[in-house]
Amino acid sequence: MDKSELKALLDKVADGRTGAAEALAQIQSAPVANIGYAQLDLARGVRQGAGEVVFGQGKTAAQVAGIVDALVAAGQRHVLVTRLDPQKAAKACALMTCDASWDYREDARLAVAGGMPKPSGNGRIVVACAGTSDLPVAEEAALTAEFLGNRVERVWDVGVAGLHRLLAHAEVLARAQVVIAVAGMEGALASVIGGLVSCPVIAVPTSVGYGASLGGIAALLSMLNSCASGVSVVNIDNGFGAGYQASLINHLSGRD
């Protein structure tokens, strides 16, 4: 159960469609499912608005399948699995016993069980990718944001080596609620976008580049030292983290 489902349940109690005892039984379900090799946080959706996400790297196909099955059985309708290679994804799908749909996206190395929810964010998230080599990380960010209920617009191959390519999308960037800027090499794209837009910019350094890029550290340091205001930075190749953070921003409402 996530926040929107909890609110819907409380609305049903308020208008008499559901009894208080039945609602209480649903809310009081165990907050943790212990399946031996994993303890699943079943209350995360109510606390944070999104259910637990499965990090596939380092897990076996059987463990991935078991975790997805347990989350679905506990009522989590949509499950995201990140960092999943094609072979493990195929094995996990074959081992799953739940009836949730399974959609694997090789370009982003992630899978979605149960399908994508409808968009519920306030505006649009734009994911801008510097080069084709950065696409796996950019797609991870874009699909994560879509999984979390956001409308996403993709702007690909707009690195600073050909600045006119980015400027051709100035209107799209100006309409964004949040921009995710994904770049390797020297990572300058985030600073350029940060100087063009009035919304938050989340910079994602990638490990793409020649030797002196140091596996993305050069891009990371460049983004951390950005002179553009409003630029924040996630870790190297962390498309998921950028998509999640952008979703939080895009779902913010005023609080007293």
Side-chain angles (χ1 to χ4, degrees):
M1 182 182 295
D2 60 24
K3 284 184 178 179
S4 63
E5 291 169 335
L6 177 59
K7 183 180 181 302
L9 177 61
L10 295 176
D11 287 340
K12 288 180 180 179
V13 174
D15 61 23
R17 288 178 291 155
T18 297
E22 180 184 346
L24 183 62
Q26 292 185 46
I27 294 171
Q28 285 183 326
S29 59
V32 175
N34 188 342
I35 58 174
Y37 50 83
Q39 296 196 64
L40 309 180
D41 184 356
L42 305 181
R44 188 173 301 180
V46 174
R47 291 198 320 273
Q48 298 186 318
E52 185 162 5
V53 174
V54 184
F55 183 67
Q57 185 177 324
K59 293 181 176 66
T60 67
Q63 288 170 339
V64 170
I67 291 169
V68 172
D69 281 339
L71 289 172
V72 171
Q76 187 168 318
R77 293 188 297 169
H78 310 281
V79 182
L80 178 65
V81 185
T82 67
R83 295 301 171 97
L84 199 59
D85 62 65
Q87 295 76 20
K88 191 183 295 184
K91 289 179 182 178
C93 181
L95 291 169
M96 281 168 49
T97 58
C98 67
D99 59 0
S101 62
W102 178 261
D103 181 15
Y104 177 66
R105 309 289 183 92
E106 185 173 353
D107 52 353
R109 295 179 298 167
L110 57 75
V112 175
M116 292 283 195
K118 292 180 180 178
S120 57
N122 298 316
R124 191 180 301 271
I125 295 171
V126 173
V127 181
C129 180
T132 306
S133 297
D134 303 305
L135 277 176
V137 177
E139 266 299 326
E140 182 183 58
L143 288 167
T144 296
E146 287 177 337
F147 174 84
L148 294 170
N150 301 276
R151 289 173 293 158
V152 175
E153 192 155 352
R154 293 160 170 80
V155 179
W156 288 169
D157 199 21
V158 290
V160 298
L163 195 57
H164 57 287
R165 299 175 300 181
L166 177 66
L167 297 178
H169 298 280
E171 244 182 78
V172 173
L173 294 169
R175 293 196 304 267
Q177 187 87 346
V178 190
V179 176
I180 299 173
V182 183
M185 299 290 187
E186 84 294 353
L189 180 65
S191 288
V192 174
I193 292 177
L196 293 174
V197 301
S198 59
C199 65
V201 176
I202 301 172
V204 187
T206 74
S207 52
V208 170
Y210 291 101
S213 72
L214 304 175
I217 292 177
L220 172 64
L221 294 176
S222 176
M223 291 171 170
L224 286 171
N225 285 284
S226 174
C227 62
S229 304
V231 175
S232 59
V233 188
V234 298
N235 208 345
I236 298 168
D237 291 337
N238 189 9
F240 166 77
Y244 197 103
Q245 180 71 5
S247 178
L248 290 176
I249 295 170
N250 197 35
H251 283 84
L252 282 175
S253 58
R255 296 178 181 176
D256 293 331

